[in-house]
Amino acid sequence: MSIAPEATVSAMKDVPTTSGSFSGSDKGLPPRKERSKSRDAGKRMGGGQKASWKLAEIPRAVPLDPNDPNYDSEADDNVVLVSTVIDSPKKSTPTLEPDELAAKELAINAPPEIKKRTIEILEEYFINGDAEEVLSSLNELDEPEFHYEMVKRVITMAMDKNDKERELASRLLSTLYMDGLTSGQVLMGFRRLLLLAGDLQIDIPTAKNMLAIFCARAVVDEILPPSFLEDPFTTRYAPEIAAEAIKKLSINHATARMEKAWGPGDGRPVEELKVAIDQLTKEYLLSRDLEEAAHCVRELNVPHFHHEVVKRGITNSLEEGGGANSAAMASLLAYLVSHELVSTGQLIKGFERFKLVLYDVALDIPNAAVLFQDIVARGISDGILPKDFDASAVKKE
């Protein structure tokens, strides 16, 4: 029986290969039946008989050890990578919690209308520089319990302005002291400022240094006692400010330095004022016109710089030479004091400052010490200098 070649070829096509695929078939494998999800889940969760774990047989998870040579950081599901910015280490500033001492100081608070009116008064003062008008307005308020607000506010407002306004602020406090402001009100105002120092420094980086100058200036002007810088309140809440103020008061000629800490106060440089003072004193020595000289001193409008008028007036009279010029200058100084253009305090400070330069002046004017003694004797005679005033020169340290 013979077999047709076509049948043989057809039969060979149906023989499976060793790989299990049907190489000659164009049809794909029959669709695979999907397993039951519940069945698979059961096995994965240990539901099958052969693959189930008893509770006691479940191995405990061993924590990964980063020091293990086989440690794979990517296999640690608990690792979370985050980006961080490492700041440079900063010194932490210790903050003081509110205590009874501060709470007692802050117990009284000025009403909003008082604060508003105080600001209005001071804004006007910084424009016209009229301390008498401030005193009048303060009396009209008739709220002495809140006068500390004037002290605190004039300094905080001046700190945000220029040296001219800061000088005006110091001058106002000196003018109002014991004539509108009591020592207790001044003390309370400064304490409030010290408590606000940290907040002020946020907007004014040099706030603490300026507060130290205001404190030192207040001590020089004798509106704050020196003990204020060392009392428990100040050393607790503002130790840096107190230390800086004490440092400023400990340097040579601290009084003279603090009096012009903000400059002469009229907006002009100190050197320019010195030139103006030289001109008016020399012109007086030529004309001997007391009223004209007094008018020029008044126009300077720098009462806290009048000690320079005294010092340079004496110096110029000695440089011109002769007892007549020394006597003329003594007459001018007596005239200025008697007409309340120059205060006794400023006069004495001017004399004291001249004593510091007397040795230098004597190098050019051999009889300077004798002429100065004549001016001092005349001042004592006119009642503008203390009877025990010493005319001896003082050596600079």
Side-chain angles (χ1 to χ4, degrees), residues 118-131 133-134 150-172 214 265:
T118 301
I119 292 173
E120 292 172 350
I121 294 171
L122 292 174
E123 285 177 344
E124 186 69 21
Y125 169 70
F126 284 130
I127 295 174
N128 58 33
D130 191 345
E133 186 176 334
V134 175
M150 179 67 69
V151 179
K152 183 190 80 172
R153 192 69 63 173
V154 71
I155 292 177
T156 55
M157 290 175 67
M159 287 170 65
D160 204 26
K161 297 182 182 293
N162 299 317
D163 282 349
K164 177 183 177 181
E165 286 77 16
R166 292 164 196 151
E167 173 61 28
L168 284 172
S170 292
R171 190 185 306 177
L172 178 65
F214 272 114

Side-chain angles (χ1 to χ4, degrees), residues 62-73:
V62 179
L64 297 177
D65 183 4
N67 297 321
D68 191 333
N70 296 321
Y71 171 72
D72 183 4
S73 61

Side-chain angles (χ1 to χ4, degrees), residues 79-95:
V79 175
V80 179
L81 300 178
V82 295
S83 62
T84 59
V85 178
I86 301 177
D87 294 331
S88 58
K90 297 180 180 178
K91 293 182 179 179
S92 59
T93 303
T95 56

Side-chain angles (χ1 to χ4, degrees), residues 171-371:
R171 190 185 306 177
L172 178 65
L173 295 177
S174 180
T175 302
L176 295 181
Y177 182 66
M178 304 306 291
D179 187 15
L181 293 174
T182 66
S183 58
Q185 291 162 351
V186 172
L187 190 67
M188 188 174 182
F190 270 92
R191 283 184 169 180
R192 293 285 181 110
L193 281 169
L194 297 183
L195 290 175
L196 291 173
D199 295 334
L200 291 171
Q201 197 166 19
I202 295 174
D203 298 323
I204 308 172
T206 58
K208 289 187 177 181
N209 183 60
M210 281 195 282
L211 285 175
I213 296 175
F214 272 114
C215 288
R217 173 65 177 271
V219 171
V220 168
D221 290 341
E222 298 183 357
I223 65 174
L224 277 181
S227 59
F228 171 79
L229 300 175
E230 296 179 337
D231 72 21
F233 185 96
T234 306
T235 54
R236 173 171 174 77
Y237 294 104
E240 295 176 3
I241 296 173
E244 183 64 23
I246 292 172
K247 179 181 177 182
K248 293 180 184 299
L249 292 170
S250 302
I251 60 178
N252 292 335
H253 317 306
T255 298
R257 289 174 182 270
M258 284 299 100
E259 284 180 346
K260 55 183 179 181
W262 309 118
D266 70 339
R268 288 184 289 174
V270 174
E271 292 303 320
E272 185 178 329
L273 269 176
K274 289 180 179 179
V275 171
I277 292 170
D278 280 338
Q279 290 176 347
L280 80 87
T281 53
K282 289 179 179 179
E283 185 176 337
Y284 163 74
L285 291 172
L286 291 174
S287 66
R288 307 294 172 91
D289 189 339
L290 290 171
E291 291 186 2
E292 178 62 23
H295 176 71
C296 292
V297 171
R298 188 182 294 107
E299 280 192 337
L300 286 177
N301 192 29
V302 284
H304 280 74
F305 203 57
H306 282 170
H307 55 80
E308 190 71 19
V309 175
V310 177
K311 175 195 166 189
R312 300 189 84 80
I314 296 173
T315 303
N316 289 331
S317 69
L318 268 57
E319 288 178 349
E320 292 297 325
N325 285 318
S326 299
M329 185 53 60
S331 297
L332 175 61
L333 296 178
Y335 185 87
L336 294 175
V337 173
S338 63
H339 285 73
E340 298 182 349
L341 291 175
V342 174
S343 68
T344 302
Q346 288 288 308
L347 178 82
I348 294 175
K349 288 173 185 175
F351 272 85
E352 292 289 353
R353 291 189 62 211
F354 179 79
K355 287 164 60 175
L356 294 171
V357 299
L358 181 53
Y359 276 113
D360 296 333
V361 174
L363 295 176
D364 298 323
I365 308 171
N367 63 338
V370 175
L371 294 174

